[in-house]
Amino acid sequence: MSASLHQWFQGARPHTWANAFAPVVAGTGAAASSGHANWWRALLACCVAWALIVGVNYANDYSDGIRGTDDARSGPVRLTASGLATPQKVRLAAFLAFGVACIAGTILAWLSSWWLILVGAICILAAWFYTGGKNPYGYRGLGEVSVLIFFGFVAVCGTEFTQTGSISPTGIGCAIAIGCFSSAVNLANNLRDIPTDAATGKLTLAVRLGDQRTRTLWMILILTPYVVSICLGWKPMLAFITLPLTFYAARPILRGARGAELIPVLGYTGRAMLLWSVVTALTLS
């Protein structure tokens, strides 16, 4: 059996790509607020973020697949666990994506600051060891913290820095908001997988907290960006128009949905995050 192009595409988990694009949009908005937005550098940052998230998705598919933690999961196709692709091919796909991130990141660092290459290397290592290696930190309840750091602070503030040479309070606020959105996506995914993760020894934050406290934390995370909108000023408060999407994302969480019924939460949360970043960036420009 060999995976089709469509299955490889689904294996890259496109429903998570908002986690890559939203930080760049928000960071560019923060740069625009000081009049220093640079669209070419924004596109390079977007390429880096997208390649990293594709890489981490394939890396997770590979590492979880060879450990057997993906064997009984609902949700998107798992290339390794399903046998649609060999572990070696999935691992190669992850490395190719990381290679694209390296090339785009090196160009971006050359245009701004050389030490960003070190930051990029740390990002790739963090992406791989999330579920890879002998002691993956994603199996120790640190996944959401990692997402907050890398898809929030590093991605948003890094995007702003490459365009302005500095990091502003506005950029930090946007980083908190996007980091919370991204962490909510990750937490919803782990909430769905509590039964299978617990059975296979994958101690995610959701497994550690339990079902009810995980839902409470998810609500805190999803509402924090709107607190940030208030802090950013009256124009960025226009991002409140994304609340309907947030409401749709929250419904399964609030009514106690489990398993596959939680899958729509990921999509709605991602769309809310991306739209929040676009509206916020436009109001900051």
Side-chain angles (χ1 to χ4, degrees), residues 31-80:
S33 69
S34 61
H36 295 94
N38 185 302
W39 301 108
W40 286 109
R41 296 188 184 190
L43 287 173
L44 279 171
C46 198
C47 182
V48 172
W50 173 77
L52 280 174
I53 203 163
V54 170
V56 76
N57 285 338
Y58 282 134
N60 291 345
D61 189 303
Y62 165 78
S63 297
D64 284 339
I66 62 174
R67 282 190 172 89
T69 53
D70 270 352
D71 289 349
R73 288 190 182 178
S74 56
V77 62
R78 265 72 171 188
L79 296 166
T80 306

Short mmCIF file of all heavy atoms in Angstrom, two decimals, residues 31-80:
data_model
loop_
_atom_site.label_atom_id
_atom_site.label_comp_id
_atom_site.label_asym_id
_atom_site.label_seq_id
_atom_site.Cartn_x
_atom_site.Cartn_y
_atom_site.Cartn_z
N ALA A 31 4.49 45.16 13.60
CA ALA A 31 5.51 45.95 12.90
C ALA A 31 4.88 47.13 12.18
O ALA A 31 5.42 48.24 12.18
CB ALA A 31 6.26 45.07 11.91
N ALA A 32 3.71 46.91 11.60
CA ALA A 32 3.01 47.99 10.88
C ALA A 32 2.57 49.10 11.82
O ALA A 32 2.47 50.26 11.41
CB ALA A 32 1.81 47.43 10.13
N SER A 33 2.31 48.75 13.07
CA SER A 33 1.86 49.78 14.03
C SER A 33 2.93 50.84 14.27
O SER A 33 2.62 51.96 14.68
CB SER A 33 1.47 49.13 15.36
OG SER A 33 2.60 48.61 16.03
N SER A 34 4.20 50.48 13.99
CA SER A 34 5.28 51.46 14.12
C SER A 34 5.75 51.96 12.75
O SER A 34 6.74 52.68 12.64
CB SER A 34 6.47 50.84 14.86
OG SER A 34 7.00 49.73 14.16
N GLY A 35 5.03 51.53 11.70
CA GLY A 35 5.33 52.01 10.36
C GLY A 35 6.50 51.33 9.69
O GLY A 35 7.10 51.88 8.76
N HIS A 36 6.83 50.10 10.12
CA HIS A 36 8.01 49.42 9.56
C HIS A 36 7.71 48.04 9.01
O HIS A 36 8.58 47.17 9.01
CB HIS A 36 9.10 49.32 10.63
CG HIS A 36 9.66 50.63 11.07
ND1 HIS A 36 9.17 51.32 12.17
CD2 HIS A 36 10.63 51.41 10.54
CE1 HIS A 36 9.83 52.44 12.31
NE2 HIS A 36 10.73 52.53 11.33
N ALA A 37 6.51 47.80 8.57
CA ALA A 37 6.19 46.48 8.02
C ALA A 37 6.96 46.25 6.72
O ALA A 37 7.13 47.15 5.91
CB ALA A 37 4.70 46.37 7.76
N ASN A 38 7.44 45.02 6.55
CA ASN A 38 8.17 44.65 5.35
C ASN A 38 7.57 43.35 4.82
O ASN A 38 7.73 42.29 5.43
CB ASN A 38 9.67 44.45 5.67
CG ASN A 38 10.49 44.16 4.43
OD1 ASN A 38 10.24 43.21 3.71
ND2 ASN A 38 11.51 44.98 4.19
N TRP A 39 6.87 43.43 3.70
CA TRP A 39 6.10 42.30 3.22
C TRP A 39 6.96 41.16 2.71
O TRP A 39 6.57 39.99 2.82
CB TRP A 39 5.10 42.76 2.15
CG TRP A 39 4.17 43.80 2.70
CD1 TRP A 39 4.15 45.14 2.43
CD2 TRP A 39 3.15 43.59 3.69
NE1 TRP A 39 3.18 45.77 3.16
CE2 TRP A 39 2.56 44.85 3.95
CE3 TRP A 39 2.69 42.46 4.39
CZ2 TRP A 39 1.53 45.00 4.88
CZ3 TRP A 39 1.67 42.61 5.31
CH2 TRP A 39 1.09 43.87 5.54
N TRP A 40 8.12 41.45 2.15
CA TRP A 40 9.00 40.38 1.70
C TRP A 40 9.51 39.56 2.87
O TRP A 40 9.57 38.33 2.82
CB TRP A 40 10.18 40.95 0.90
CG TRP A 40 9.79 41.42 -0.47
CD1 TRP A 40 9.71 42.70 -0.91
CD2 TRP A 40 9.39 40.59 -1.58
NE1 TRP A 40 9.28 42.74 -2.22
CE2 TRP A 40 9.08 41.45 -2.66
CE3 TRP A 40 9.26 39.21 -1.76
CZ2 TRP A 40 8.66 40.98 -3.88
CZ3 TRP A 40 8.84 38.73 -2.99
CH2 TRP A 40 8.54 39.61 -4.03
N ARG A 41 9.88 40.24 3.95
CA ARG A 41 10.33 39.52 5.14
C ARG A 41 9.17 38.77 5.79
O ARG A 41 9.37 37.70 6.37
CB ARG A 41 10.98 40.50 6.12
CG ARG A 41 12.24 41.13 5.56
CD ARG A 41 12.99 41.94 6.59
NE ARG A 41 14.14 42.61 6.00
CZ ARG A 41 15.08 43.22 6.68
NH1 ARG A 41 15.03 43.28 8.00
NH2 ARG A 41 16.10 43.80 6.05
N ALA A 42 7.98 39.34 5.69
CA ALA A 42 6.80 38.65 6.22
C ALA A 42 6.56 37.35 5.46
O ALA A 42 6.24 36.32 6.06
CB ALA A 42 5.58 39.56 6.14
N LEU A 43 6.72 37.38 4.14
CA LEU A 43 6.54 36.17 3.33
C LEU A 43 7.59 35.12 3.67
O LEU A 43 7.28 33.92 3.73
CB LEU A 43 6.61 36.52 1.84
CG LEU A 43 5.40 37.27 1.28
CD1 LEU A 43 5.66 37.71 -0.16
CD2 LEU A 43 4.15 36.39 1.34
N LEU A 44 8.82 35.55 3.90
CA LEU A 44 9.87 34.61 4.30
C LEU A 44 9.54 33.99 5.66
O LEU A 44 9.69 32.78 5.86
CB LEU A 44 11.22 35.31 4.36
CG LEU A 44 11.95 35.52 3.03
CD1 LEU A 44 13.16 36.42 3.22
CD2 LEU A 44 12.39 34.17 2.45
N ALA A 45 9.09 34.84 6.60
CA ALA A 45 8.71 34.33 7.92
C ALA A 45 7.56 33.35 7.81
O ALA A 45 7.51 32.34 8.52
CB ALA A 45 8.34 35.49 8.84
N CYS A 46 6.63 33.63 6.90
CA CYS A 46 5.49 32.75 6.68
C CYS A 46 5.96 31.39 6.15
O CYS A 46 5.46 30.34 6.57
CB CYS A 46 4.52 33.40 5.70
SG CYS A 46 2.87 32.70 5.73
N CYS A 47 6.92 31.42 5.25
CA CYS A 47 7.47 30.18 4.70
C CYS A 47 8.16 29.36 5.79
O CYS A 47 7.98 28.14 5.87
CB CYS A 47 8.47 30.51 3.59
SG CYS A 47 9.19 29.06 2.79
N VAL A 48 8.91 30.04 6.66
CA VAL A 48 9.58 29.35 7.77
C VAL A 48 8.56 28.70 8.68
O VAL A 48 8.66 27.51 9.02
CB VAL A 48 10.45 30.34 8.59
CG1 VAL A 48 10.99 29.65 9.85
CG2 VAL A 48 11.60 30.86 7.75
N ALA A 49 7.55 29.47 9.09
CA ALA A 49 6.54 28.96 10.03
C ALA A 49 5.75 27.81 9.43
O ALA A 49 5.49 26.80 10.10
CB ALA A 49 5.60 30.10 10.45
N TRP A 50 5.37 27.95 8.15
CA TRP A 50 4.60 26.89 7.49
C TRP A 50 5.42 25.61 7.38
O TRP A 50 4.93 24.51 7.67
CB TRP A 50 4.15 27.35 6.10
CG TRP A 50 3.49 26.25 5.33
CD1 TRP A 50 2.22 25.77 5.47
CD2 TRP A 50 4.10 25.46 4.29
NE1 TRP A 50 2.00 24.73 4.58
CE2 TRP A 50 3.14 24.53 3.85
CE3 TRP A 50 5.37 25.47 3.70
CZ2 TRP A 50 3.40 23.62 2.84
CZ3 TRP A 50 5.63 24.55 2.70
CH2 TRP A 50 4.66 23.64 2.28
N ALA A 51 6.67 25.73 6.94
CA ALA A 51 7.52 24.55 6.79
C ALA A 51 7.76 23.88 8.14
O ALA A 51 7.80 22.64 8.23
CB ALA A 51 8.86 24.93 6.15
N LEU A 52 7.89 24.67 9.20
CA LEU A 52 8.09 24.10 10.53
C LEU A 52 6.88 23.31 10.99
O LEU A 52 7.01 22.22 11.55
CB LEU A 52 8.41 25.20 11.54
CG LEU A 52 9.84 25.72 11.56
CD1 LEU A 52 9.96 26.91 12.51
CD2 LEU A 52 10.81 24.61 11.99
N ILE A 53 5.68 23.85 10.75
CA ILE A 53 4.51 23.14 11.23
C ILE A 53 4.24 21.88 10.41
O ILE A 53 3.80 20.85 10.96
CB ILE A 53 3.27 24.06 11.28
CG1 ILE A 53 2.26 23.49 12.29
CG2 ILE A 53 2.60 24.22 9.91
CD1 ILE A 53 1.21 24.47 12.72
N VAL A 54 4.53 21.92 9.12
CA VAL A 54 4.42 20.70 8.31
C VAL A 54 5.45 19.68 8.80
O VAL A 54 5.14 18.49 8.96
CB VAL A 54 4.63 21.01 6.82
CG1 VAL A 54 4.76 19.72 6.02
CG2 VAL A 54 3.48 21.84 6.28
N GLY A 55 6.65 20.16 9.08
CA GLY A 55 7.69 19.27 9.58
C GLY A 55 7.33 18.63 10.91
O GLY A 55 7.51 17.42 11.09
N VAL A 56 6.80 19.42 11.82
CA VAL A 56 6.45 18.87 13.14
C VAL A 56 5.27 17.90 13.02
O VAL A 56 5.21 16.90 13.74
CB VAL A 56 6.16 19.99 14.16
CG1 VAL A 56 4.81 20.63 13.94
CG2 VAL A 56 6.25 19.46 15.58
N ASN A 57 4.35 18.16 12.09
CA ASN A 57 3.23 17.24 11.90
C ASN A 57 3.70 15.89 11.38
O ASN A 57 3.24 14.84 11.84
CB ASN A 57 2.19 17.86 10.96
CG ASN A 57 1.38 18.94 11.65
OD1 ASN A 57 1.27 18.98 12.87
ND2 ASN A 57 0.81 19.84 10.86
N TYR A 58 4.59 15.90 10.40
CA TYR A 58 5.13 14.64 9.90
C TYR A 58 6.01 13.96 10.96
O TYR A 58 6.01 12.73 11.10
CB TYR A 58 5.95 14.86 8.63
CG TYR A 58 5.10 15.05 7.38
CD1 TYR A 58 5.38 16.07 6.47
CD2 TYR A 58 4.05 14.19 7.11
CE1 TYR A 58 4.62 16.24 5.32
CE2 TYR A 58 3.28 14.35 5.96
CZ TYR A 58 3.57 15.38 5.08
OH TYR A 58 2.80 15.54 3.93
N ALA A 59 6.76 14.77 11.71
CA ALA A 59 7.61 14.21 12.76
C ALA A 59 6.76 13.54 13.84
O ALA A 59 7.11 12.45 14.33
CB ALA A 59 8.48 15.31 13.38
N ASN A 60 5.64 14.17 14.21
CA ASN A 60 4.74 13.57 15.19
C ASN A 60 4.12 12.28 14.65
O ASN A 60 3.96 11.30 15.37
CB ASN A 60 3.63 14.55 15.57
CG ASN A 60 4.14 15.73 16.37
OD1 ASN A 60 5.26 15.70 16.88
ND2 ASN A 60 3.35 16.76 16.48
N ASP A 61 3.75 12.31 13.35
CA ASP A 61 3.19 11.13 12.71
C ASP A 61 4.19 9.97 12.79
O ASP A 61 3.83 8.83 13.14
CB ASP A 61 2.85 11.46 11.25
CG ASP A 61 2.07 10.35 10.56
OD1 ASP A 61 2.56 9.20 10.50
OD2 ASP A 61 0.97 10.64 10.05
N TYR A 62 5.43 10.27 12.48
CA TYR A 62 6.48 9.25 12.51
C TYR A 62 6.73 8.74 13.93
O TYR A 62 6.67 7.52 14.18
CB TYR A 62 7.78 9.83 11.94
CG TYR A 62 9.00 9.00 12.25
CD1 TYR A 62 9.27 7.82 11.55
CD2 TYR A 62 9.88 9.38 13.27
CE1 TYR A 62 10.39 7.06 11.85
CE2 TYR A 62 11.00 8.62 13.58
CZ TYR A 62 11.24 7.46 12.87
OH TYR A 62 12.34 6.69 13.18
N SER A 63 6.97 9.65 14.87
CA SER A 63 7.35 9.24 16.23
C SER A 63 6.21 8.55 16.96
O SER A 63 6.41 7.51 17.61
CB SER A 63 7.82 10.47 17.03
OG SER A 63 8.98 11.03 16.46
N ASP A 64 5.00 9.11 16.85
CA ASP A 64 3.85 8.46 17.49
C ASP A 64 3.53 7.12 16.82
O ASP A 64 3.12 6.17 17.48
CB ASP A 64 2.61 9.37 17.43
CG ASP A 64 2.67 10.52 18.43
OD1 ASP A 64 3.44 10.40 19.42
OD2 ASP A 64 1.95 11.52 18.25
N GLY A 65 3.74 7.08 15.50
CA GLY A 65 3.43 5.86 14.77
C GLY A 65 4.33 4.70 15.16
O GLY A 65 3.85 3.58 15.37
N ILE A 66 5.62 4.94 15.28
CA ILE A 66 6.53 3.85 15.62
C ILE A 66 6.41 3.44 17.08
O ILE A 66 6.79 2.33 17.46
CB ILE A 66 8.00 4.20 15.29
CG1 ILE A 66 8.48 5.40 16.11
CG2 ILE A 66 8.17 4.44 13.80
CD1 ILE A 66 9.97 5.70 15.94
N ARG A 67 5.86 4.34 17.92
CA ARG A 67 5.63 3.99 19.33
C ARG A 67 4.30 3.27 19.54
O ARG A 67 4.07 2.69 20.58
CB ARG A 67 5.64 5.26 20.19
CG ARG A 67 7.02 5.80 20.49
CD ARG A 67 6.95 6.89 21.56
NE ARG A 67 8.27 7.28 21.99
CZ ARG A 67 9.00 8.23 21.42
NH1 ARG A 67 8.50 8.90 20.39
NH2 ARG A 67 10.21 8.53 21.86
N GLY A 68 3.41 3.39 18.56
CA GLY A 68 2.11 2.74 18.68
C GLY A 68 1.05 3.59 19.35
O GLY A 68 -0.06 3.12 19.59
N THR A 69 1.36 4.86 19.63
CA THR A 69 0.38 5.71 20.31
C THR A 69 -0.69 6.24 19.36
O THR A 69 -1.67 6.85 19.81
CB THR A 69 1.08 6.91 21.00
OG1 THR A 69 1.90 7.58 20.04
CG2 THR A 69 1.96 6.43 22.14
N ASP A 70 -0.52 6.05 18.07
CA ASP A 70 -1.52 6.50 17.08
C ASP A 70 -2.43 5.37 16.61
O ASP A 70 -3.29 5.58 15.76
CB ASP A 70 -0.81 7.09 15.84
CG ASP A 70 -0.58 8.59 15.97
OD1 ASP A 70 -1.10 9.18 16.93
OD2 ASP A 70 0.12 9.15 15.12
N ASP A 71 -2.26 4.19 17.17
CA ASP A 71 -2.95 3.02 16.61
C ASP A 71 -4.46 3.08 16.70
O ASP A 71 -5.17 2.54 15.85
CB ASP A 71 -2.45 1.74 17.31
CG ASP A 71 -1.02 1.39 16.91
OD1 ASP A 71 -0.50 2.02 15.96
OD2 ASP A 71 -0.42 0.51 17.56
N ALA A 72 -5.00 3.74 17.74
CA ALA A 72 -6.45 3.71 17.94
C ALA A 72 -7.06 5.10 18.00
O ALA A 72 -8.07 5.32 18.65
CB ALA A 72 -6.78 2.94 19.22
N ARG A 73 -6.46 6.06 17.31
CA ARG A 73 -6.93 7.43 17.40
C ARG A 73 -7.95 7.77 16.33
O ARG A 73 -7.94 7.22 15.24
CB ARG A 73 -5.76 8.41 17.29
CG ARG A 73 -4.88 8.42 18.52
CD ARG A 73 -3.91 9.56 18.44
NE ARG A 73 -3.02 9.57 19.60
CZ ARG A 73 -2.04 10.44 19.75
NH1 ARG A 73 -1.83 11.36 18.83
NH2 ARG A 73 -1.29 10.42 20.81
N SER A 74 -8.81 8.74 16.69
CA SER A 74 -9.70 9.34 15.70
C SER A 74 -9.01 10.57 15.13
O SER A 74 -7.98 11.00 15.63
CB SER A 74 -11.03 9.73 16.36
OG SER A 74 -10.80 10.60 17.46
N GLY A 75 -9.59 11.14 14.09
CA GLY A 75 -9.01 12.35 13.53
C GLY A 75 -8.34 12.11 12.19
O GLY A 75 -8.61 11.12 11.52
N PRO A 76 -7.44 13.04 11.79
CA PRO A 76 -6.81 12.97 10.47
C PRO A 76 -6.03 11.68 10.27
O PRO A 76 -5.64 11.01 11.24
CB PRO A 76 -5.87 14.20 10.47
CG PRO A 76 -6.40 15.10 11.54
CD PRO A 76 -7.00 14.21 12.57
N VAL A 77 -5.78 11.34 9.00
CA VAL A 77 -5.05 10.13 8.67
C VAL A 77 -3.66 10.16 9.29
O VAL A 77 -3.00 11.19 9.33
CB VAL A 77 -4.95 9.96 7.13
CG1 VAL A 77 -4.18 11.12 6.49
CG2 VAL A 77 -4.30 8.64 6.78
N ARG A 78 -3.24 9.03 9.84
CA ARG A 78 -1.90 8.85 10.35
C ARG A 78 -1.16 7.95 9.38
O ARG A 78 -1.46 6.77 9.24
CB ARG A 78 -1.93 8.20 11.73
CG ARG A 78 -1.86 9.15 12.89
CD ARG A 78 -3.12 9.93 13.10
NE ARG A 78 -3.08 10.68 14.36
CZ ARG A 78 -4.11 11.33 14.85
NH1 ARG A 78 -5.25 11.37 14.19
NH2 ARG A 78 -4.01 11.98 15.99
N LEU A 79 -0.20 8.50 8.68
CA LEU A 79 0.47 7.76 7.62
C LEU A 79 1.24 6.56 8.14
O LEU A 79 1.20 5.48 7.55
CB LEU A 79 1.41 8.71 6.87
CG LEU A 79 0.75 9.87 6.13
CD1 LEU A 79 1.78 10.91 5.72
CD2 LEU A 79 -0.02 9.38 4.92
N THR A 80 1.96 6.76 9.24
CA THR A 80 2.79 5.68 9.77
C THR A 80 1.94 4.60 10.43
O THR A 80 2.08 3.41 10.11
CB THR A 80 3.79 6.24 10.80
OG1 THR A 80 4.55 7.30 10.21
CG2 THR A 80 4.74 5.15 11.27
#
